[in-house]
Amino acid sequence: MILTKAQYDEIAQCLVSVPPTRQSLRKLKQRFPSQSQATLLSIFSQEYQKHIKRTHAKHHTSEAIESYYQRYLNGVGKNGAAPVLLELANEVDYAPSLMARIILERFLQEHEETPPSKSVINSMLRDPSQIPDGVLANQVYQCVVNDCCYGPLVDCIKHAIGHEHEVLLRDLLLEKNLSFLDEDQLRAKGYDKTPDFILQVPVAVEGHIIHWIESKASFGDECSHHAYLHDQFWSYWNSCV
């Protein structure tokens, strides 16, 4: 189904007033029943990521970090089993996984001799059992599994969906008996940046000549199209056409 600009704008406007939770996504599906769950989730995620980018800096001032950390300590001091970090993230309108990262970094700075590296932080977020504090480990875990837009769990799901769509696209090209080269074959030929597939014999689709295909398993809004053009598509145009 093709989504018009007006339909997209209506969905995006609806998202302005809802928190980034699975409950909100269910309400969104009820309001726009003709749209697929995958389309709504993709738009939901993209719009929320734009919001996070706009507000990211205010959550990373030294004052904000210290305030969040003290609120975390006070909260778990009263009830370590309560979802303190998750509720704090929702209250200040920040992604739970990103809030967990802030608190984890602050905790390690206080309890470790050397500042934690990015790789160590990422490893602990992927596997909270590595965190040397059981209460914080549980708090981080709650944030990661309840975040539908950010975090290692979301990254894993996106990677799996992206790979799935590339496989489906390959199967479709084979089914249509179209001759193509994939990324591995293109890199072996010396290409630097490559699309997912280059058609060895271009085809016409709705009046347009198609030389190559890049699979993006997400909704393409104006912002993402501009970013992909700048970061990827123009280089494909120059090298692959």
Side-chain angles (χ1 to χ4, degrees):
M1 176 184 292
I2 296 176
L3 191 70
T4 67
K5 180 66 164 57
Q7 289 174 317
Y8 170 81
D9 289 340
E10 184 182 4
I11 295 172
Q13 185 59 40
C14 177
L15 290 172
V16 171
S17 59
V18 300
T21 64
R22 290 180 174 82
Q23 291 77 13
S24 297
L25 188 58
R26 283 194 286 269
K27 293 178 181 177
L28 197 65
K29 179 61 178 174
Q30 293 172 357
R31 179 164 178 178
F32 301 98
S34 63
Q35 303 300 331
S36 71
Q37 182 86 356
T39 295
L40 292 175
L41 177 58
S42 186
I43 296 174
F44 181 87
S45 177
Q46 287 175 329
E47 288 299 310
Y48 185 64
Q49 287 173 28
K50 292 176 190 176
H51 168 71
I52 290 297
K53 289 177 182 178
R54 289 193 299 267
T55 61
H56 175 81
K58 75 175 185 179
H59 298 290
H60 283 263
T61 65
S62 56
E63 294 82 4
I65 292 173
E66 197 58 34
S67 172
Y68 296 158
Y69 188 59
Q70 292 305 319
R71 291 182 63 179
Y72 159 74
L73 292 177
N74 291 336
V76 296
K78 296 175 182 177
N79 184 356
V84 175
L85 267 189
L86 183 60
E87 291 178 353
L88 175 58
N90 291 334
E91 180 185 332
V92 302
D93 195 15
Y94 199 48
S97 290
L98 300 183
M99 177 61 74
R101 176 182 287 273
I102 288 176
I103 301 303
L104 177 58
E105 287 181 348
R106 177 65 180 81
F107 173 87
L108 292 176
Q109 288 170 1
E110 185 174 287
H111 292 82
E112 301 292 329
E113 294 182 358
T114 58
S117 66
K118 185 176 180 180
S119 62
V120 168
I121 295 294
N122 290 339
S123 179
M124 289 182 175
L125 289 172
R126 287 193 297 269
D127 179 12
S129 68
Q130 298 178 25
I131 298 172
D133 181 273
V135 173
L136 180 55
N138 182 53
Q139 294 287 326
V140 169
Y141 173 78
Q142 291 175 5
C143 286
V144 170
V145 299
N146 283 286
D147 196 326
C148 55
C149 296
Y150 282 92
L153 182 58
V154 172
D155 290 341
C156 183
I157 292 171
K158 286 181 177 179
H159 178 77
I161 292 174
H163 180 69
E164 177 189 12
H165 280 71
E166 288 181 19
V167 171
L168 292 173
L169 179 54
R170 175 189 291 275
D171 290 345
L172 184 60
L173 292 173
L174 291 171
E175 179 185 321
K176 300 298 182 181
N177 293 317
L178 297 177
S179 180
F180 61 86
L181 297 174
D182 62 23
E183 284 184 287
D184 292 335
Q185 292 169 314
L186 291 168
R187 289 199 179 96
K189 287 178 174 289
Y191 284 84
D192 181 16
K193 289 188 175 182
T194 67
D196 291 321
F197 301 96
I198 286 183
L199 301 181
Q200 294 184 293
V201 180
V203 298
V205 178
E206 297 182 356
H208 300 280
I209 303 301
I210 307 301
H211 294 263
W212 49 264
I213 303 173
E214 174 75 16
S215 174
K216 297 294 183 187
S218 61
F219 183 82
D221 63 356
E222 286 186 288
C223 182
S224 60
H225 277 308
H226 284 305
Y228 289 138
L229 275 170
H230 179 269
D231 297 338
Q232 294 178 284
F233 298 161
W234 287 130
S235 63
Y236 298 168
W237 174 275
N238 293 330
S239 62
C240 301
V241 175

